[in-house]
Amino acid sequence: MARAWLATWIALASAGCSSVAQDVPRHAEDPAAAWQKQFERGERFQRSGFQESAQRNYERALSLARALPESDSRRVRTRVALAEVYVQTGELAKAALQLEAALHEQRRLSDDESEAVADLLTRLGKVYIAQDRFAAAQSVLRPAVDIRRAELGDRDLETAASASYLAAAFAGLKDYARAETMYQSAIAIYSASGPAHVQRLALAYNNLARVYRAAGRIEQAEQYHLQAIRTGSEYKLEGNPNLGVFARDLAALYAQQGRSAEAEEAYRIALAQLEDTLGPSHPQVRETLLALAAQLSAQGREAEAEKLRQRAANAAPAP
């Protein structure tokens, strides 16, 4: 009897405790604090190269940011971070969608002519260029350049960056005259900015050379390819793969002109530079091996060319 009474008492007590526990209000985490936690996790994963984990945390952060007021800028910030991850993982369509949404939201937060809007227009233009959507790219990059010229001035580095991307969009549209104008504008700014920005300057020289080559202005193309290489070498960019890319572009120009010996020499310089900076299995190295093989094959040196093609095949990652 006592044992039965005790069992009944325990059951009632347990039920009572359960009822009390259910009546205690649960305090939901503050949305802003929850957002901060997820966003910072995303940043840590992104810095460490774990893009998929960064993506998951940024997506959670974006879901939390939707609970914040429309006037809160954290939604825009999260979309930009998420777009960067999508670019890293090659999901360009998703990156474009995030940046388009961020631009729409930013225009509600600030003046339509603000630097924040110009930054998003430039980011979106870069993604459009990567998608070969050159008309869409120039439609967002032209206002970005105009805003930055008005807000920051004609000599600002951010103005130069937007101008460079606009030049690339014009080049993609085969509007070489406008591409030349934009690259020259960027070159003028980078030239006046000192050694800290020499990499941007060298890239602008090389990109302008590509425009000249596409336009059939071969002499000027050679001049600017060489200028890109000289600029990079002068300011100690030897450990930078861009020098290898510049040399390969120059080699292609020589090959186009039938200057076989100079083309081969430039390809070999490019190959050595790219292998040293990127390793033997990088796609840029494989591309250069195949270009040099094609050059040697055109000279009738098929055995040497086949060895290079084999090296390229061996360097390719397993499917």
Side-chain angles (χ1 to χ4, degrees):
M1 187 73 175
R3 198 174 289 174
W5 175 86
L6 181 60
T8 302
W9 183 87
I10 291 173
L12 289 171
S14 298
C17 289
S18 176
S19 176
V20 170
Q22 289 173 3
D23 290 340
V24 174
R26 292 185 179 180
H27 296 285
E29 188 174 11
D30 175 60
W35 174 89
Q36 188 73 26
K37 185 187 297 182
Q38 293 296 331
F39 190 85
E40 289 178 353
R41 284 177 181 169
E43 287 183 313
R44 287 196 296 272
F45 280 125
Q46 190 174 11
R47 283 194 300 268
S48 301
F50 297 105
Q51 302 300 337
E52 289 185 7
S53 297
Q55 177 185 323
R56 285 194 294 271
N57 283 106
Y58 284 144
E59 286 171 346
R60 291 172 192 145
L62 182 58
S63 179
L64 291 163
R66 291 192 180 102
L68 299 173
E70 286 191 0
S71 59
D72 197 300
S73 63
R74 278 173 279 203
R75 264 188 288 188
V76 172
R77 186 179 170 191
T78 311
R79 289 189 189 280
V80 170
L82 187 53
E84 288 178 356
V85 171
Y86 285 142
V87 169
Q88 290 295 318
T89 57
E91 298 178 274
L92 297 177
K94 289 183 178 180
L97 286 173
Q98 290 299 329
L99 290 171
E100 287 162 355
L103 178 61
H104 178 73
E105 290 171 354
Q106 183 61 51
R107 281 177 162 151
R108 290 204 306 261
L109 298 177
S110 64
D111 188 278
D112 216 29
E113 305 296 311
S114 68
E115 165 56 22
V117 167
D119 176 69
L120 286 167
L121 289 168
T122 302
R123 290 175 184 272
L124 185 55
K126 287 168 60 178
V127 173
Y128 286 158
I129 289 169
Q131 293 178 294
D132 293 337
R133 296 170 61 188
F134 300 114
Q138 69 88 25
S139 73
V140 295
L141 288 164
R142 290 178 80 165
V145 171
D146 291 342
I147 292 169
R148 283 183 158 165
R149 281 177 170 162
E151 292 292 312
L152 306 175
D154 286 332
R155 313 305 294 174
D156 189 87
L157 290 167
E158 297 304 325
T159 303
S162 293
S164 293
Y165 293 122
L166 179 55
F170 282 139
L173 293 169
K174 296 182 170 52
D175 189 343
Y176 300 127
R178 287 181 176 172
E180 177 187 9
T181 299
M182 287 294 105
Y183 276 133
Q184 290 286 17
S185 173
I187 285 168
I189 297 172
Y190 293 141
S191 296
S193 300
H197 304 286
V198 69
Q199 184 173 336
R200 292 186 182 187
L201 175 60
L203 276 169
Y205 281 139
N206 198 66
N207 287 334
L208 180 55
R210 289 176 172 177
V211 168
Y212 285 141
R213 180 183 170 194
R217 296 163 64 177
I218 302 302
E219 187 175 322
Q220 287 168 296
E222 180 180 2
Q223 172 190 341
Y224 277 91
H225 278 316
L226 289 170
Q227 184 61 49
I229 293 169
R230 277 196 299 270
T231 301
S233 299
E234 181 181 353
Y235 287 97
K236 310 299 182 188
L237 293 184
E238 285 83 355
N240 189 309
N242 283 336
L243 274 180
V245 174
F246 301 160
R248 188 180 64 206
D249 286 347
L250 179 61
L253 181 68
Y254 287 152
Q256 178 182 328
Q257 295 176 279
R259 297 162 64 177
S260 300
E262 291 165 289
E264 179 182 347
E265 180 184 9
Y267 275 132
R268 291 193 183 281
I269 291 171
L271 181 59
Q273 177 72 19
L274 291 169
E275 283 184 318
D276 183 57
T277 54
L278 299 174
S281 299
H282 195 276
Q284 292 280 11
V285 172
R286 296 196 296 275
E287 182 180 337
T288 309
L289 283 165
L290 293 172
L292 178 54
Q295 178 62 36
L296 296 179
S297 185
Q299 297 175 46
R301 297 159 62 183
E302 191 56 41
E304 294 175 75
E306 182 56 32
K307 288 180 181 178
L308 292 171
R309 285 192 287 267
Q310 189 59 50
R311 280 176 61 187
N314 291 338

